[in-house]
Amino acid sequence: MGAEQSVDPATVSSAITVVHVPTSNSTIDTDEDYERICNLPFFEPILRTHVVEEAKLSQMDRINPVYLSKIVRRYTDHLRECDAHLTTYQQNLGGKVKNVENKAKNVAAMVADRQRKFQRSASASSKIESMHNELKHLLTTFEHVMVLCDELNMGLPADLRMKTFSVADYS
C-alpha cells in the first residue's frame, strides 16, 4: 500500500522516524518486561484431588489445564443449575406474592364493606337514640301535663271530678 503512493522526496526525509536497532547484546533474555513475566510466581493448585503433606507443599505441581478445564466446566454447569433453580424459585415466589396481593385486596374490600355497614348501623343507631330521647321528653311532658290535670281535677267539686288518669294503665 505504501509503495504504490507517490511521495514527494522532499517530505520523505522529514517524515522518517529513526528506531534504535537492537545491538548484538540486546536479546529477549535482557528485556525487562520478559524478565518480569518470567519472575512471576507459579500459582499452586486451587483444588487438589489428593491430600498433600505439609512437607510437600512447597514442591506442588502447576495446575494441569485439562483438569482445570474439567473443573471449570463442572463449576459452570453447577452455576447454571443454581441459576435455573433460582429462576424457578423466583417465579414461584412472584406467584405467591401475587396471591398474597389478591388476598390483601379481598381483605381490604371486606374491611371497606364492613366499614360501610358499620357507618349505616351507627347512623341508624343515632337516629334510634334521638327518637328515644324525643319519646322520653314527650313522656316527661305528658306526665307533667297529667300532674297539672290532677291538680285541676282536685280543684273541682267532688261530683264533677273525673277518674284519676294513670300512665301505668295504658302501658
Side-chain angles (χ1 to χ4, degrees):
M1 282 174 103
E4 298 171 15
Q5 296 176 353
S6 64
V7 180
D8 183 22
T11 59
V12 173
S13 63
S14 63
I16 295 176
T17 305
V18 179
V19 178
H20 296 291
V21 180
T23 60
S24 61
N25 294 340
S26 170
T27 63
I28 197 166
D29 294 332
T30 59
D31 186 21
E32 289 180 24
D33 291 333
Y34 180 75
E35 285 181 26
R36 284 186 195 150
I37 291 173
C38 288
N39 289 333
L40 287 175
F42 291 117
F43 293 101
E44 295 183 358
I46 298 169
L47 304 171
R48 299 287 291 184
T49 57
H50 60 283
V51 177
V52 179
E53 298 163 358
E54 292 274 334
K56 294 183 181 178
L57 281 176
S58 62
Q59 301 172 359
M60 295 174 77
D61 301 325
R62 290 196 296 176
I63 296 177
N64 187 343
V66 174
Y67 297 124
L68 183 61
S69 67
K70 288 181 182 178
I71 290 172
V72 169
R73 196 174 320 115
R74 282 195 332 228
Y75 187 66
T76 304
D77 292 342
H78 174 72
L79 288 178
R80 283 191 185 119
E81 288 177 19
C82 289
D83 180 52
H85 287 293
L86 285 175
T87 302
T88 304
Y89 178 74
Q90 187 176 14
Q91 290 171 348
N92 291 341
L93 190 60
K96 289 179 181 179
V97 166
K98 287 181 182 177
N99 252 354
V100 169
E101 285 178 349
N102 288 336
K103 288 180 181 179
K105 286 179 184 176
N106 290 340
V107 167
M110 288 173 41
V111 167
D113 187 44
R114 285 186 181 179
Q115 179 67 25
R116 283 191 296 274
K117 287 179 181 177
F118 176 76
Q119 286 175 347
R120 278 189 239 130
S121 296
S123 175
S125 177
S126 68
K127 288 178 183 176
I128 290 172
E129 183 68 28
S130 70
M131 189 65 85
H132 177 72
N133 289 336
E134 287 179 23
L135 286 174
K136 278 172 111 178
H137 179 67
L138 284 174
L139 181 63
T140 308
T141 305
F142 181 71
E143 287 175 349
H144 181 64
V145 168
M146 291 314 297
V147 168
L148 292 175
C149 284
D150 277 341
E151 287 178 11
L152 186 63
N153 194 27
M154 290 299 194
L156 292 174
D159 60 332
L160 295 175
R161 287 186 193 163
M162 295 175 39
K163 181 181 166 191
T164 310
F165 183 74
S166 171
V167 177
D169 293 340
Y170 296 99
S171 56

